[in-house]
Amino acid sequence: MNVKRLGSEWKNISTIVVYGMGAVADRFLDKILQDFQVPYIIDYKKQGKKYHDIPVISYEMLRENIRQEKYKIVVMTSQRVYSEIKRILEADNFVEMEDFCRIELFAIEWYRANRNMMNILQVNTAVTTWCTLNCEKCNMFMPYYGERKHYTLTEMKEDIDILLKYVDYTFLYSFLGGEPFLNKDLKNIISYIGDTYSDRIGKLGITTNGTVVPDDETLYQIKKYQVTVNISDYTAVVPYQEKLDRLIDVLKKWEIAYIRNHMTEWKDFGFPNKPFHWGKEGGHDHMKSCSPLFHGINDKKFYYCHVIWSADKAGIYTAPESDYIDLTELEPDNEADKKKVWRYALGDCERGFLGFCMVCGGCGEDNDKAVVAGIQSKKM
């Protein structure tokens, strides 16, 4: 995928306008506020409110002010929503990469050019391939796993240690599964990362389905390091409301920040039962349409799309070397190798697209197939 670059107009700016006040902004905005003045946040649904005394207003109300003040706009949304916002801004003659850009490119490109920092926006790591649910269209392909495992503290240390030899800062480091709270070593993993890398990781997060209440030692570490618990709620189709309520009660008792996401629909990846066939000519556009904000680190390999790691691990896809970067084969003191990791995080890969993109529907606007989230599979 050919990566566009920010124009010279962005050099040494200190003020930006943020577009979007949803889940993406919730993950990354606080770090941006440490480094930039943000006079306004644009959001239709939350206009009239304030975030840290910053007024949230509609685009229509701010449009002329942006033009007059020549504010740069950083869009904090998913790729799908970004595409919609891009059409709105371009209709008003704002130019992508000159006047506005998406948060991931800004976090990686701007900090490299102006602070000489190799940043990554979001990195996910799987701490277990065991799960309490068996979702038919799981985007980590849990029903297809034969052998499962909990990753140890030693393995997780190796992953984060080697990644941060090449990366100066990541805005969010998130633990996934399977179901992360099944891994009894999670408390030690959180403690190690929190103690060792608090100055190089903006936020820590855990994604859980809400079926497991962690023990007090794990809760203590979550509280200590201000880990946000992201709950994917599938109770609309899976009957575990009592367990979910118990988890939320415990999180409230410990005053732990959590976000409850009512999951009703997923994009249907198609793979592996009905894989897509985008073809080489469509690969570039398809990868660009998906453009995940999250990347992955597991087994000392860095993945532009973490889904690839899990499909490979589940035994339903054999990832070619072009689908990831094996960090053990690079040299952290080699500037070219560090830049390779940095560019890869922006989607700059060998062929212009990943092999897995040829068979996966992805989460972009070019995939109009959807399924009910959480339907349980009989595959075990």
Side-chain angles (χ1 to χ4, degrees):
M1 184 170 68
N2 295 324
V3 180
K4 291 184 178 180
R5 307 296 294 266
L6 292 180
S8 59
E9 302 87 352
W10 294 77
K11 186 175 178 62
N12 294 324
I13 61 170
S14 59
T15 302
I16 61 171
V17 167
V18 169
Y19 201 135
M21 194 55 217
V24 174
D26 183 74
R27 283 176 266 170
F28 309 124
L29 183 53
D30 286 347
K31 168 58 179 173
I32 293 297
L33 291 178
Q34 293 175 16
D35 297 334
F36 295 90
Q37 293 180 342
V38 179
Y40 304 102
I41 299 172
I42 300 171
D43 194 283
Y44 290 100
K45 294 182 179 179
K46 298 181 180 179
Q47 60 180 305
K49 298 182 179 181
K50 287 189 176 183
Y51 184 82
H52 295 315
D53 292 326
I54 302 171
V56 182
I57 62 180
S58 70
Y59 168 67
E60 287 78 10
M61 290 180 63
L62 192 58
R63 176 171 46 204
E64 293 309 314
N65 188 264
I66 292 173
R67 204 183 305 278
Q68 291 170 10
E69 299 294 335
K70 297 183 179 180
Y71 289 133
K72 301 302 179 189
I73 304 171
V74 176
V75 183
M76 294 193 184
T77 66
S78 66
Q79 176 62 24
R80 179 185 61 80
V81 178
Y82 175 74
S83 296
E84 297 171 5
I85 293 171
K86 178 183 173 182
R87 284 191 285 269
I88 293 170
L89 294 175
E90 289 182 336
D92 284 332
N93 297 316
F94 290 108
V95 180
E96 187 181 27
M97 304 305 161
E98 291 184 15
D99 302 311
F100 69 94
C101 71
R102 192 180 180 212
I103 176 60
E104 181 171 41
L105 187 135
F106 182 75
I108 299 176
E109 180 90 12
W110 189 91
Y111 281 87
R112 171 62 174 164
N114 295 277
R115 301 281 178 86
N116 196 31
M117 293 178 68
M118 297 285 197
N119 289 355
I120 294 178
L121 191 63
Q122 177 176 340
V123 179
N124 295 340
T125 188
V127 295
T128 183
T129 55
W130 285 97
C131 195
T132 54
L133 300 181
N134 198 41
C135 300
E136 192 172 83
K137 292 291 185 175
C138 173
N139 60 18
M140 293 296 277
F141 307 111
M142 289 297 120
Y144 294 94
Y145 273 80
E147 297 182 8
R148 300 173 185 266
K149 66 172 292 182
H150 297 310
Y151 281 84
T152 65
L153 171 61
T154 298
E155 290 169 315
M156 291 291 98
K157 283 174 63 175
E158 290 175 347
D159 279 343
I160 187 67
D161 288 350
I162 196 169
L163 177 67
L164 293 185
K165 287 180 180 179
Y166 300 93
V167 175
D168 294 315
Y169 190 87
T170 179
F171 284 63
L172 172 64
Y173 193 85
S174 188
F175 306 108
L176 309 179
E179 172 47 55
F181 287 143
L182 290 175
N183 189 337
K184 301 304 180 184
D185 229 359
L186 180 61
K187 55 182 174 290
N188 299 318
I189 295 168
I190 294 171
S191 178
Y192 173 76
I193 293 176
D195 282 342
T196 311
Y197 295 116
S198 60
D199 60 334
R200 298 180 62 191
I201 296 175
K203 286 187 177 182
L204 292 175
I206 295 172
T207 297
T208 173
N209 59 34
T211 59
V212 178
V213 176
D215 58 37
D216 285 357
E217 291 181 7
T218 303
L219 289 164
Y220 174 79
Q221 297 299 335
I222 291 172
K223 173 69 174 178
K224 179 179 179 180
Y225 295 106
Q226 299 180 330
V227 184
T228 299
V229 178
N230 296 282
I231 304 171
S232 298
D233 180 354
Y234 302 110
T235 56
V237 293
V238 186
Y240 65 94
Q241 188 67 54
E242 186 176 335
K243 293 179 180 178
L244 179 57
D245 290 343
R246 194 180 312 135
L247 172 64
I248 290 175
D249 287 344
V250 169
L251 295 178
K252 287 179 178 178
K253 177 182 175 182
W254 281 79
E255 297 182 328
I256 291 171
Y258 72 91
I259 299 171
R260 181 177 181 177
N261 301 302
H262 296 272
M263 308 299 290
T264 58
E265 186 177 275
W266 285 329
K267 289 281 191 176
D268 184 358
F269 290 172
F271 185 84
N273 295 324
K274 295 181 179 180
F276 282 65
H277 298 283
W278 297 101
K280 292 182 179 180
E281 293 182 2
H284 173 272
D285 290 340
H286 175 55
M287 182 174 166
K288 183 178 179 182
S289 176
C290 189
S291 293
L293 288 171
F294 61 86
H295 307 305
I297 178 73
N298 269 104
D299 302 323
K300 297 191 271 307
K301 295 176 181 177
F302 181 54
Y303 290 83
Y304 177 76
C305 176
H306 199 214
V307 170
I308 298 174
W309 168 81
S310 197
D312 192 11
K313 207 74 176 175
I316 55 177
Y317 177 74
T318 302
E321 291 183 2
S322 57
D323 273 13
Y324 59 85
I325 294 179
D326 187 341
L327 297 177
T328 65
E329 296 180 352
L330 305 183
E331 294 292 337
D333 294 331
N334 185 314
E335 190 67 16
D337 282 349
K338 290 188 72 171
K339 189 173 182 180
K340 180 179 179 180
V341 175
W342 170 73
R343 296 297 297 171
Y344 180 74
L346 283 171
D348 189 355
C349 50
E350 222 171 87
R351 296 182 300 171
F353 55 87
L354 303 170
F356 193 66
C357 290
M358 298 299 92
V359 295
C360 177
C363 295
E365 60 180 357
D366 61 351
N367 181 7
D368 60 1
K369 298 182 184 300
V371 293
V372 176
I375 292 177
Q376 298 300 285
S377 171
K378 294 180 181 179
K379 290 188 178 71
M380 293 299 292

